[in-house]
Amino acid sequence: MTVKVAFPHMGNACIPLRALVEALGAEAVIPARPNVETLKRGVLHAPESVCLPFKATLGDCLDALERGADVLAMVCGMWACRFGNYGLIQHMILRDLGYRFHSLLVGRENAGEVVETMRRLLGPGFLQRVPKALALFRAKAAAVDEVERWTRWARPREECAGGADALAARFLKELDEASTVARVREVRRFFREEARGLPLDGKANPLRIRLVGELYVLLEPSLNHDLVRKLGSVYRVEVHPVLSTYRWLLGPLWLDPRIQLSGYLARRRIRPYLPYVLGGEEHMTLSGILTARRDGFHGVIHAFPLTCMPENICRTVIPGILVGGRLPYLDLCFDEHTSAAGLETRLEAFLDLVASSRMSRQ
Ligand code: SF4
């Protein structure tokens, strides 16, 4: 019988992760995209003051178990923040609720144990399938990244709002269905051809905003009220998050040395302001703010969950970085009570400020 493996959602990470799981010989169970209902269920069973991603991913796990998953996979390890313990605690909560399943907690510290568990679940031949599975995983992660980057660039420039998103959605579906690296390359080629044909406003000169903050809130649209799409399509702003699904997936596996290099440079850059590793994305947040002007951004948005330890420490450092820099900055704190209307009001006021700051510099 084929083992059914599930993992929580985060942006479009499910596309390469599904390919990895299936190429290793298991069936991937993809929970519904996080929504009000799954978040409510996560909130109900999670500790009250735990960070928002814990609650959302717990809701995902509940949904996956009800769809028949018998293995729950989660990254774990020596994080200084809570993330390293997410899987362990979530799986304890789920077992207390009466669910029965296997845990696949993947971390650098327990690599041997992970291989042993996978051999037990997937059969002894699984190791031979690893190189092909990783190649497909990497190809899909890179293709998803290309589609996401292009979409963020095209949204504020397209003549007809929604065209870039429709094109991206169609190609993300095709990428999800591709079963070989050759097919992924072909889909990428077709995507580039069609993307070139999208009617754009040649005179558009959108504001450029850098988005920094906690990984899950940055990448999961259901948690950030679709912030990235709204900034592009509704407010016609070009948004650049400092983090991406590609970075998150390939970084820990050392499949792209550029990720390690940029992380190392970011840590070096922020050392005068924060000489410690907090265990989250603090180096990318602070480094993203320090280099925003140099990289041609007109403003910075900092998005993070309410009780996030690393990002709240960053908030104490950021005013010192911004002193005298005249860089418009907005921080957005998310929890399950964040309202879309409140968020929009703040975004509108901030973007007015960014636009007037750009005009005063011209
Ligand atoms: S980075 Fe922040 S939100 Fe994410 S797990 Fe750590 S403490 Fe929680």
Side-chain angles (χ1 to χ4, degrees), residues 99-284:
Y99 292 99
R100 294 291 164 261
F101 57 93
H102 298 280
S103 293
L104 187 60
L105 299 173
V106 186
R108 256 184 238 133
E109 301 80 14
N110 67 345
E113 218 177 281
V114 173
V115 173
E116 204 29 61
T117 312
M118 288 175 80
R119 195 200 301 273
R120 195 157 34 79
L121 294 169
L122 303 173
F126 105 91
L127 272 176
Q128 279 106 60
R129 296 193 285 271
V130 169
K132 236 177 154 176
L134 282 179
L136 186 60
F137 170 73
R138 188 190 167 144
K140 286 204 182 189
V144 167
D145 194 48
E146 179 178 350
V147 174
E148 288 177 348
R149 272 186 289 120
W150 175 82
T151 314
R152 290 194 300 265
W153 176 86
R155 278 182 192 128
R157 295 176 169 86
E158 63 190 351
E159 277 184 357
C160 204
D165 278 304
L167 187 66
R170 184 152 56 81
F171 277 93
L172 287 174
K173 186 165 179 293
E174 286 194 28
L175 282 172
D176 198 19
E177 287 163 2
S179 55
T180 61
V181 173
R183 174 67 188 144
V184 172
R185 283 200 199 112
E186 192 180 39
V187 173
R188 266 180 106 158
R189 215 176 42 249
F190 292 152
F191 169 72
R192 283 178 198 150
E193 278 165 22
E194 288 213 25
R196 272 197 291 273
L198 189 84
L200 298 175
D201 172 3
K203 293 197 192 102
N205 181 19
L207 291 172
R208 298 182 76 236
I209 299 292
R210 176 163 271 171
L211 189 56
V212 299
E214 195 268 344
L215 182 91
Y216 197 84
V217 159
L218 247 54
L219 301 183
E220 178 48 53
S222 58
L223 251 69
N224 61 30
H225 291 262
D226 214 2
L227 178 66
V228 175
R229 190 197 57 76
K230 274 188 196 156
L231 280 169
S233 288
V234 180
Y235 299 107
R236 315 293 278 177
V237 167
E238 190 181 323
V239 199
H240 290 256
V242 287
L243 303 169
S244 64
T245 314
Y246 178 82
R247 185 182 180 90
W248 160 243
L249 291 173
L250 271 68
L253 297 172
W254 287 75
L255 289 175
D256 185 341
R258 287 173 304 173
I259 298 173
Q260 268 69 34
L261 181 65
S262 66
Y264 165 76
L265 292 175
R267 290 224 177 266
R268 206 172 63 172
R269 191 172 295 121
I270 70 160
R271 214 170 286 149
Y273 305 93
L274 187 68
Y276 315 106
V277 174
L278 303 179
E281 313 300 336
E282 68 280 359
H283 55 306
M284 299 305 289

Side-chain angles (χ1 to χ4, degrees), residues 51 53 81-83 86 214 280 305 307-310:
C51 35
C81 80
R82 299 163 189 153
F83 185 72
Y86 264 30
E214 195 268 344
T307 57
C308 173
M309 179 270 282

